[in-house]
C-alpha cells in the first residue's frame, strides 16, 4: 500500500468523523428543542391549573418557575450547540476539501507513472542506451 493511499484513507476517516459530529450535534439540538417544547406545555398546564400567569405573583406555581428556569437553560444550551454545529460544519468542509485535494493528487500521480512514448526514433534510441 502506498503512502498516498494511507493519506487518502486518513482523510476519508476525518471526513466521516466530522460528518458524525455534525449529525450528533443536530440530534442533540432537536432533542433539546423537543424537551423545551414539553416544558412549555407543562408550564402552561401549571398556570392554567393555578389560574396565575404572572411570574412575579407570590402565588405563581413553584413547579412552573422551576420549569421556566430549566427551559431557559435548554434554550441557552441550544444556542451553544448551534454555534458548535456551525464550527463543526466549517471543519467538515475543510476536511472534504483536503480529501478532494488528496484524491486529485493520487489521480495525477497515477497518470504520471505512465512513461510517455518517445517522439521520434532518436529519443527511443537514447532511452535504450
Amino acid at each position: 500500500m502506498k503512502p498516498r493511499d494511507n493519506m487518502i484513507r486518513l482523510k476519508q476517516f476525518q471526513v466521516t468523523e466530522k460528518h458524525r459530529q455534525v449529525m450528533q450535534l443536530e440530534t442533540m439540538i432537536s432533542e433539546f428543542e423537543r424537551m423545551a417544547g414539553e416544558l412549555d406545555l407543562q408550564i402552561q398546564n401549571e398556570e392554567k391549573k393555578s389560574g396565575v400567569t404572572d411570574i412575579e405573583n407570590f402565588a405563581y406555581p413553584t413547579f412552573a418557575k422551576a420549569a421556566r428556569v430549566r427551559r431557559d437553560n435548554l434554550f441557552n444550551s441550544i444556542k451553544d450547540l448551534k454555534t458548535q454545529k456551525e464550527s463543526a460544519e466549517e471543519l467538515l468542509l475543510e476536511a472534504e476539501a483536503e480529501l478532494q485535494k488528496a484524491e486529485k493528487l493520487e489521480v495525477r500521480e497515477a497518470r504520471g507513472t505512465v512513461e510517455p512514448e518517445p517522439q521520434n526514433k532518436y529519443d527511443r534510441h537514447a532511452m535504450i542506451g
Side-chain angles (χ1 to χ4, degrees):
M1 182 176 282
K2 295 187 284 185
R4 183 78 53 217
D5 292 337
N6 287 335
M7 184 174 68
I8 289 175
R9 287 179 54 210
L10 174 64
K11 299 295 181 189
Q12 288 171 337
F13 174 78
Q14 289 172 341
V15 167
T16 303
E17 184 64 20
K18 300 294 181 198
H19 187 264
R20 186 193 62 76
Q21 290 173 353
V22 169
M23 296 304 293
Q24 188 175 29
L25 288 167
E26 286 176 353
T27 302
M28 291 173 66
I29 289 168
S30 65
E31 182 67 18
F32 284 10
E33 287 172 342
R34 183 193 59 78
M35 291 168 60
E38 289 176 359
L39 286 171
D40 273 336
L41 290 175
Q42 291 176 358
I43 292 166
Q44 290 172 1
N45 289 337
E46 282 294 313
E47 289 176 348
K48 190 175 184 180
K49 194 185 324 179
S50 71
V52 180
T53 57
D54 182 16
I55 300 170
E56 301 300 322
N57 190 322
F58 73 94
Y60 190 77
T62 306
F63 176 78
K65 284 182 184 178
R68 281 183 179 276
V69 170
R70 189 163 173 226
R71 183 197 60 194
D72 293 345
N73 287 341
L74 283 171
F75 284 142
N76 289 335
S77 295
I78 290 169
K79 184 177 138 189
D80 291 342
L81 288 172
K82 285 182 178 180
T83 303
Q84 290 178 24
K85 181 184 161 217
E86 289 172 7
S87 176
E89 286 173 338
E90 289 174 11
L91 292 173
L92 173 61
L93 290 175
E94 290 174 10
E96 287 173 341
E98 289 178 16
L99 174 61
Q100 287 179 349
K101 286 180 187 176
E103 288 172 340
K104 287 178 183 177
L105 185 59
E106 174 69 19
V107 168
R108 268 190 256 137
E109 284 184 358
R111 288 183 194 156
T113 57
V114 178
E115 294 181 6
E117 291 292 321
Q119 298 299 324
N120 58 41
K121 64 181 181 177
Y122 297 110
D123 288 340
R124 184 166 186 251
H125 182 64
M127 287 175 53
I128 294 174

